[in-house]
Amino acid sequence: MRKKGFLYCLLVFAFLNTHGQTKNRPFIWVDADDHHIILNKIETKAWAKSSYEEVKQRVDSTLVFYQENRDKFLRNLTLDWSQAKTNSIPPLTYTTTGKKGKHENLDNASDEEMANFYKLSDYLQSAKEAGFLCYLTNDETYAQYATDILYTAVMGIVQLQPSDWRPRGGWLCPDDILRESRLIGEKYPIVYDFVAPFIAKGGKPYDVARQSDVDFPMAKAQEVFRTYARLVVDNGMINSNHPVLESNCLVYNALALEDIQERNMYLEYYLTKNTSNQDALAKVAEFYKNEGDIWPESSQYTNDVAERSTKLMYVLTKYDPSLQLGRTYPNIPWAIQRLDYLVNPNGELILWGDGHRKYKTPYDAYELAYKLGKIDSVPKLEKQFSNLLGSAMAKGEYQREGLEALMWYHDDFEQKETTIELPRTDEQPHAGIFLQRNLSSTGNPDDGLMCFVGGASMVHGHASGMYMELYGEGRVMGVDNGRGKYAQNIHENYSRIFAAHNTVIVNGASQGEGEWVNLGMDTVTLECMEPMPKQKAVSPNYSFTTTNFYDGGGTKAEAEQQRTMALVRTSPTTGYYLDVFRSKSKLPIEYHDYLYHNLGESLTFLNEDLVLNLDANRFMANANAEWRRNRKYRNPGWHFFKDVETSERYSEDVELLFKAERFKDKNRYMKVFMPGFEGRTYTKVMAPKTFEAPEPYDKLPTPTLVVRQQGEAHTKPFVGVYEPFAESANNGSVLSVEKLEQNGLFQGVKVTSKIDYKILVQYHLMPFENGTLSLREHAIEFQGHFAIITFDGNNVLKDIYIGNGKRLKIKSFLVESKTDRFNKVYIDFNTETPIVEGDFNIGKIKQER
């Protein structure tokens, strides 16, 4: 607390003492010193000339209509002429959802309701660009055009009454300061900053009501800037991304204020001073304690917070170098690159919460992170982002363009190609995510493998339970539903609750509770993992995670869960996943449903004796339960399932196949092997379409498997071996999966594959509760948590992998940890001298050949 207080005083003292005098406008985005630099870029850099001409052409094309009929052009600026008074510009038209008596933000407003809002935004955007052109060329035609728009917009909005509704009351949008601040509120001050010199030397705006030039109403313009700054401070919503999304509006309007003390007061609210409705930068920075930390929401908000904060840190440090915001908060710009590492082999993001799968590296933000490092003398930032930008330029992945590039990006970088080395494993703690990847030696993303387990509560998070995704053949095949438009029935009652995820639903009652919009749940935690996140793997082919989760939402689930996922590569082009999900409720009568969604058009059970019957009412118990937006839901959401078909109880092993044969490039398949248990039934359904899916599966329902275990699923866990493959439904390499049992308890699986016409037999050893497992086959004994032993078709030992264990005996061959703790080891027998990695004592090898 003492350190934070010192930082607060230091920042405020430096700021107030530096800015006791007036600065010449413009100075928010650019100042007089930037003028010759920009002109030089236009003359010497093709990209800068192109960007300049693009801005000029865009403004000039609108300027034509303005010059043809100045009066008509300005009258069209979303003014409510039904309220016009003599010689007075009428107010702007309010933008609302049209729902009387209800506070309703604009997330789902109709196109008609948003038309005037977007029109005003376009006018102000054009004025902003015209202001820049005036600054650059000294052509007062642009200044007059921008001033006329600004004047009309100022006179129109000052007649409206700002909302006092908290947490989201606006001005033009009485129920949505969040949207208004981003698209309207932050543009007024930038236009003013550019045209202020024109106004100062006598430039007059045109008044469409009086049809004459008038003095610019400086007091009213200042009222606009003051009001927008105050609305952000007073009417925002804290402990989310909202304060950062609104921060441009706060900072730019503060900088537009001419009263120095008032300007500094509002800038303090951005820098250090929190309110009950606005979080300051110092509070935001608390989430970035270490390099690599990111904002704790879903992906698009995660990067947006870092990017927006970096931009304002640059603008304010440029305005007042003594702030040294890059040096004070270097982990914020450092976070911008983090999503580059949370990707599947095809470059698509992993999915959590309301996030998106598509991802475009934010090179514009890289530029500002670099500049912030340079002006604040943070060599690590400067070097990292100059290297990343130089590499992207060398590869042709990034070329500068646009207004901000024209204003701010100057430096040349060494254009040397580099590659991002994706680690075998990674984590994202705030989302409870632990991922495994195994890129192929072929270099083809289609041959890469990747999976993750995750789940946590956060703003824009989902009540997902402990869920997973699976990647194969160049696509995420085992998919999370993602999300569509907010506030819709499917979003509220399916996409962001349990049934939309590859998870386990307990007693039909798993749900979120409390925290953000009543979707709170525990965070998935790590039991053990090999390799640990970002660490070196002992094996080139194997990895695993074991995670824990407590399903405690409401009062009817009350289940402790554990999930072990292993990634197994069997050749440069083949591999599979092992998923073992244990779940046990505290309640006396229990049942558990395991859900798996896969892209495709069909799901087929390959067991001829497993008969499915229509079961339309199976998941409909809560279909008409109470729903209150952002508060109460129709949990667990599976009433959206269609074409429900269920088996009688079936205890045999099951094989099933998902077909995805409508991709443009190739057919894809996911084959699933599930060892049988007593008390088990199998259901196939068509779930809603998957958002973020590739064509055509973004418009088709998603075939989904639901497996129910009557009674506990702890000693009778859900076990699945998943193999993705392509081209033909017969191309799978896994031949069979057999359950390994001891004393009636599940202890692992034996997987037999055929790789390049050769048999591969792999024993996945998972002793119950980390005990000791004994198998007659090969006289195997294992004490530990997880291991894989691989033989060829002639029973010759190929390799041993202990991901977490203490002792393994195979006939007379012994591997034993050097300490009392569980450890990891990999032994490859494919060479003359076996390769051994790990902290184990290795006994004498007696191998029959």
Side-chain angles (χ1 to χ4, degrees), residues 378-531:
V378 186
K380 195 168 186 180
L381 280 180
E382 186 179 352
K383 181 179 178 181
Q384 177 73 356
F385 287 100
S386 64
N387 288 343
L388 291 171
L389 287 163
S391 177
M393 290 174 176
K395 295 175 184 176
E397 295 173 351
Y398 170 57
Q399 181 173 338
R400 288 166 168 163
E401 60 182 0
L403 179 57
E404 291 185 5
L406 191 58
M407 291 190 298
W408 295 331
Y409 311 160
H410 309 312
D411 294 298
D412 295 324
F413 307 114
E414 181 184 3
Q415 296 194 16
K416 179 181 178 181
E417 289 193 26
T418 60
T419 57
I420 291 177
E421 295 294 331
L422 295 175
R424 283 281 298 278
T425 59
D426 210 332
E427 65 178 330
Q428 192 45 57
H430 87 270
I433 285 174
F434 302 92
L435 70 84
Q436 306 169 65
R437 64 166 64 89
N438 193 300
L439 303 179
S440 174
S441 58
T442 67
N444 185 347
D446 285 15
D447 297 330
L449 296 171
M450 183 166 147
C451 63
F452 76 86
V453 175
S457 180
M458 71 197 88
V459 176
H460 284 286
H462 289 177
S464 62
M466 183 163 51
Y467 76 110
M468 60 86 157
E469 285 196 331
L470 302 178
Y471 175 94
E473 293 296 337
R475 299 288 185 183
V476 178
M477 297 292 288
V479 290
D480 183 87
N481 181 251
R483 65 97 169 168
K485 291 184 70 175
Y486 292 140
Q488 301 299 299
N489 182 15
I490 191 169
H491 178 68
E492 295 257 316
N493 293 308
Y494 179 71
S495 296
R496 64 181 183 178
I497 56 180
F498 274 71
H501 304 81
N502 296 326
T503 189
V504 166
I505 294 173
V506 181
N507 301 328
S510 295
Q511 64 180 69
E513 184 178 46
E515 299 184 46
W516 184 71
V517 298
N518 209 29
L519 292 175
M521 65 174 208
D522 275 12
T523 298
V524 170
T525 59
L526 184 65
E527 174 79 14
C528 52
M529 183 177 189
E530 197 294 307

Side-chain angles (χ1 to χ4, degrees), residues 627-639:
W627 166 33
R628 281 186 284 141
R629 183 180 162 193
N630 279 340
R631 214 53 236 153
K632 194 173 182 64
Y633 312 104
R634 292 168 179 162
N635 293 298
W638 53 18
H639 59 284

